[in-house]
Amino acid sequence: MNTRFFCQLALVFMFVMGSFASAAAPQRRCGTKVRHGDYVSKAPADCDGNATVIRDSYAVNETYTLRLVVHVIHKADGTGKLSEQVIRDTVAILNADFRAMAGTTGAAGTDAGVQFVLADRDPNGNPSNGIVYVENDAYFHGELETYGAPLQWDPTRYLNFYVSEGEGSGGVVYQMPWEPWAEPAFEGLVVNYEYMGYDAISGEPYHVATHEAGHYLGLEHTFFGVEDTASCPTGDCHTTGDLICDTNPHPQPDLAVASCASRTACDAQEPVKNYMNYMPESCMTEFTSEQINRMRCVILSYRQGLVDDGNTDTVVMEQRWLAHLTSANGGFETEVYLSNTSNQSQTATLRGYTAAGTKIDESELTLAPGQRRMLSVDALFSGERPTHLALLGDSAILATAAYRVKSDQSVRAHLAEAGASAQRYLLHLGEADLVFDGIAMVNTGTAPTRVTAVLVNENGTTGSAQVLAENLAVRGKGLADLSVLFGTVERGMVRIEADQPIRLLALRGSRPGAPFAFLLANPVLTLPK
């Protein structure tokens, strides 16, 4: 069974000053299966299940907008069929809590630079309001493992938020992406329909979704691993307890405690206001700075595909790429060719990206039936020059790029758009003293990736792996000269491997000073994973 977080809400009626409180005060009761300390993360990062590494690169210097879809699972008799307004209220509460918005209960906290938006396109590109109603009694009473696979939208592009009976709890997050047993069908979070939006009696916002979103973004409970005051953790606080140093360790709070008053545990102040603690809803107002740093690390390391850049076309990762455009002052030039092979007009969009994976701009063109156009990069993009292009449009539009040395006598190398993404490739080496073997890599996966190259000799032996890219961003591009890395090897080949799917383009060219300047396409072989 997958590791999962169970967060159960219990109603506690307090007897105060000789009389009952006017309303039941929701209390969060949370229990998690013990995080395993004896496994190796299948995707190690600064924020996996073993440790937290706080870095300035995860500081709040930009806002990440995460795209979500809410699956409202209800019974045939209408139980659980929440209104769209309740769903939108819940998203608003999420944003108030994560952004510490003024005028809300989250204002006292710290802005995490993370916000949520309902998807405006489904995985097929059709317009959507990001809310899906599902009438199914079995799903309503069931567990995510029964309905996750049939209901989910692409979990690498959407945060799947399920509303149901809550599996007998207030909320559930089943797994973290670094866990060896993680499966796509279990991605997302579940919240009990009774704890969505605002409390009908008190009018206070429920923070259950905020708590579960914290789990989904890699946070443990603040009391994780502390059974009682005798078991207060010792050692590095980034590798013990909740893996966070500015959330003081403490035992799991008593269910009967319904006070936000400050109290001491493990010789320190208990984080009674923290969203990841077990406290009354009215107490919860903050994430700490280190929790925020860790969540932002998780987004960059594991969930970058959820980030919405405001362009509805990028809900689905682009499938067609021209993986390399030469720089303006590098001694080479690139021409882009588009051909419409159909008998009707077609529109194509060329979207430009920087090497860091940031979208620059896009250019839309219409081609008449059978038309072929040659386009210069400068004509397509008048501002910042992109390093590579994504192609969107009908499959009848074919794209090639022509590369050549800036010389009257140079020969063009025509390469079609990069083929299907893969994680392993093989290509031949040339004579390093005569030519260079350059490759361009584009990360088409869902998280930053490491790319390595290893020499494969004629007898099948391999050398040491060389790192081509350590943390290549999603949609980012890297370059490498294999001839510099490996030199001349008789009948040698190089195997390229990546943690995420990449597109690969290879060019072989003359060295500077050669009597004849040329560029040639170097065939790339795709290997099974």
Side-chain angles (χ1 to χ4, degrees), residues 1-249:
M1 187 64 181
N2 296 287
T3 296
R4 52 184 184 172
F5 298 89
F6 293 95
C7 299
Q8 182 173 351
L9 295 172
L11 297 180
V12 178
F13 294 86
M14 295 184 62
F15 191 78
V16 181
M17 302 295 290
S19 63
F20 283 101
S22 61
Q27 297 282 318
R28 177 175 285 108
R29 178 181 180 179
C30 302
T32 69
K33 289 191 175 183
V34 176
R35 183 183 66 241
H36 295 274
D38 56 352
Y39 71 82
V40 177
S41 294
K42 71 175 183 180
D46 290 335
C47 44
D48 61 14
N50 300 313
T52 298
V53 179
I54 303 297
R55 297 191 189 277
D56 290 342
S57 56
Y58 308 131
V60 183
N61 49 27
E62 63 177 309
T63 299
Y64 300 136
T65 301
L66 305 187
R67 186 186 308 108
L68 61 84
V69 54
V70 179
H71 307 269
V72 182
I73 304 171
H74 60 91
K75 297 177 65 174
D77 64 8
T79 303
K81 192 173 184 179
L82 303 179
S83 69
E84 287 190 13
Q85 187 57 52
V86 172
I87 305 305
R88 296 186 187 281
D89 286 346
T90 302
V91 176
I93 294 167
L94 273 172
N95 289 328
D97 293 348
F98 273 81
R99 296 302 312 275
M101 290 182 174
T104 73
T105 58
T110 302
D111 185 0
V114 176
Q115 60 191 22
F116 303 84
V117 62
L118 289 165
D120 59 7
R121 297 273 174 172
D122 70 14
N124 296 317
N126 300 312
S128 172
N129 64 359
I131 304 171
V132 180
Y133 286 91
V134 181
E135 182 183 304
N136 190 304
D137 286 29
Y139 287 174
F140 179 80
H141 295 297
E143 297 186 350
L144 182 60
E145 59 194 89
T146 64
Y147 58 76
L151 297 186
Q152 72 175 190
W153 290 10
D154 180 359
T156 67
R157 297 294 161 208
Y158 301 88
L159 194 175
N160 284 272
F161 185 133
Y162 301 95
V163 183
S164 69
E165 193 178 42
E167 306 189 17
S169 64
V172 178
V173 171
Y174 271 63
Q175 66 185 22
M176 291 294 105
W178 54 77
E179 293 174 336
W181 48 82
E183 300 176 29
F186 299 119
E187 279 292 300
L189 60 88
V190 181
V191 172
N192 188 307
Y193 76 98
E194 295 186 274
Y195 305 105
M196 294 282 288
Y198 296 89
D199 185 295
I201 299 175
S202 69
E204 289 288 322
Y206 286 120
H207 302 292
V208 180
T210 301
H211 182 94
E212 300 308 327
H215 283 320
Y216 180 81
L217 295 178
L219 298 184
E220 301 278 6
H221 295 120
T222 55
F223 50 82
F224 184 87
V226 185
E227 297 297 329
D228 51 45
T229 55
S231 62
C232 293
T234 59
D236 186 353
C237 46
H238 286 139
T239 60
T240 59
D242 67 347
L243 310 178
I244 297 293
C245 288
D246 61 1
T247 54
N248 296 323

